Amino acid sequence: MHLPSRVTLIAALLLLPLTACAEPGDRNPTAASPATSALTPDAPTPGAPRPAQPAAPPSRAFTPPLSRTLPPSIGIPSKPPKPTPPTDLRDSGLIAGHITRGGSGPCYGLVAEDGRAYALHGPGAGNLTEGSFVTLRIVSRSSDIDCGPGIRVSIVAP
């Protein structure tokens, strides 16, 4: 091979990648081959605008790789706190309600706020008016004295 033909071959090899990257509209019309320079009825003219091409489908968003570190463990939940006693407890020896059987005693009837009926015995309680609302200190009593229907209790202090 002669030196000028080697130079031409090397130049052609170096320019080949550059021509492959060029847009078809960027080509020189005089350098095109006769087969590509012939216009067909469907082909656009070199100066005419190109028809709109359909938009490329949107690519998926970049998903980062999973972390190589382990997530923190949740662990065992702590036990709930122990319940505290209510602050509005009433003295168990007190009862409040309406007198259902009144008089000068010693037996009375009472319906408490919670709806329970009591048979009260109180020799020193005095006169309790039927329908009045009272709060009394009571204790349980034996069954030897019958003051009517209800839970049997004795009045300690009116």
Side-chain angles (χ1 to χ4, degrees), residues 95 99 101 106-110 118-122 128 134 136 138 141 147 149 151-155:
I95 188 168
I99 300 292
R101 286 186 319 272
C107 288
Y108 309 94
L110 178 126
Y118 289 89
L120 303 171
H121 180 261
L128 297 177
V134 294
L136 303 171
I138 58 169
R141 68 177 161 90
C147 285
I151 301 169
R152 296 179 179 187
V153 293
S154 291
I155 300 172

Side-chain angles (χ1 to χ4, degrees), residues 61-132:
F62 172 74
T63 304
L66 297 176
S67 174
R68 293 183 186 211
T69 59
L70 295 176
S73 62
I74 295 175
I76 299 172
S78 62
K79 293 181 180 178
K82 291 185 178 181
T84 58
T87 58
D88 61 346
L89 286 179
R90 203 178 257 182
D91 184 5
S92 62
L94 290 178
I95 188 168
H98 292 280
I99 300 292
T100 57
R101 286 186 319 272
S104 58
C107 288
Y108 309 94
L110 178 126
V111 174
E113 292 176 311
D114 61 2
R116 294 183 192 169
Y118 289 89
L120 303 171
H121 180 261
N127 190 13
L128 297 177
T129 309
E130 188 175 329
S132 62

